[in-house]
Amino acid sequence: AQSVSQHNHHVILSEAASLELGCNYSYGGTVNLFWYVQYPGQHLQLLLKYFSGDPLVKGIKGFEAEFIKSKFSFNLRKPSVQWSDTAEYFCAVSIRSSASKIIFGSGTRLSIRP
Amino acid sequence: ETGVTQSPTHLIKTRGQQVTLRCSSQSGHNTVSWYQQALGQGPQFIFQYYREEENGRGNFPPRFSGLQFPNYSSELNVNALELDDSALYLCASSFQGSSYNEQFFGPGTRLTVL
């Protein structure tokens, strides 16, 4: 069965620190990849997505992610975090041939110290 | 363009009761997916509706059922509620026919079962 693993459950950083959140998925075929963010009290929002082409994807608010097919990874990065980046981050994958479910990881809670 | 809306925002029920949650899809979308997000976890796929029929189902028992209406809105029904059904229920809409499966999420309905 397909699955998504997020390595860090809770990450605590100071403002201006660099961020990298790990994500690995298990599926041998063609996938679409997503990072979603859930700010406190708000609904799930799409941060960025990868469908095809350049494996380095840029999203909103200065986030980017790199798809490394050989490692089944899609890590999220940001060079310099802000206090407003405090949120829960979810990596997700959908199978290209099946336009139904999105499989989510368990999430990483990011806390930024002002 | 109207986004995905869900009602009610919050709901409290007791064990054994039945509940109906509602979702209106984003304009131009014809597919609705439902997810359950338990506290501290990522969303789990319940099922998807397209052309008023179930189009994929996750690992949820038959007491979780749904409907889609001609205007593409949808309902999630849960019978014989259990304490573990307490969660945030998310609805997502998308356009079937795209291989990219980009789903747009609503704010969710928080269900508490006592």
Side-chain angles (χ1 to χ4, degrees), chain B residues 58-80:
Chain B
N59 189 26
F60 281 81
R63 59 190 185 84
F64 284 78
S65 64
L67 286 172
Q68 186 182 32
F69 301 99
N71 67 352
Y72 307 119
S73 66
S74 176
E75 286 182 355
L76 164 65
N77 299 290
V78 187
N79 294 321

Side-chain angles (χ1 to χ4, degrees), chain B residues 7-18:
Chain B
S7 64
T9 307
H10 296 88
L11 205 50
I12 299 175
K13 293 284 189 178
T14 56
R15 273 188 308 173
Q17 286 189 310
Q18 178 265 342

Side-chain angles (χ1 to χ4, degrees), chain A residues 36-86:
Chain A
Y36 283 88
V37 61
Q38 197 168 34
Y39 296 104
Q42 297 188 28
H43 64 276
L44 211 57
Q45 300 174 40
L46 183 65
L47 205 52
L48 49 77
K49 62 197 178 200
Y50 171 80
F51 295 147
S52 63
D54 188 345
L56 185 60
V57 180
K58 294 193 183 300
I60 61 172
K61 304 186 180 184
F63 286 91
E64 65 178 31
E66 185 176 13
F67 171 46
I68 303 179
K69 189 174 181 179
S70 61
K71 294 185 178 180
F72 298 91
S73 71
F74 191 54
N75 292 353
L76 181 71
R77 299 194 291 249
K78 185 171 183 178
S80 176
V81 295
Q82 301 171 306
W83 180 80
S84 58
D85 293 326
T86 296

Side-chain angles (χ1 to χ4, degrees), chain A residues 18-40:
Chain A
S18 64
L19 169 72
E20 180 159 4
L21 301 183
C23 172
N24 286 90
Y25 66 94
S26 65
Y27 182 70
T30 305
V31 295
N32 301 319
L33 296 158
F34 309 88
W35 275 96
Y36 283 88
V37 61
Q38 197 168 34
Y39 296 104

Side-chain angles (χ1 to χ4, degrees), chain B residues 30-55:
Chain B
N30 55 15
T31 302
V32 172
S33 304
W34 286 92
Y35 294 80
Q36 180 196 66
Q37 186 179 12
L39 199 61
Q41 297 183 25
Q44 300 290 314
F45 176 73
I46 303 175
F47 44 54
Q48 183 184 80
Y49 276 82
Y50 169 62
R51 289 186 175 177
E52 302 177 46
E53 291 190 359
E54 191 177 285
N55 179 44

Side-chain angles (χ1 to χ4, degrees), chain B residues 21 26 33 47 64 89 104 111:
Chain B
L21 311 181
Q26 184 168 306
S33 304
F47 44 54
F64 284 78
Y89 288 84
F104 296 81
L111 172 65

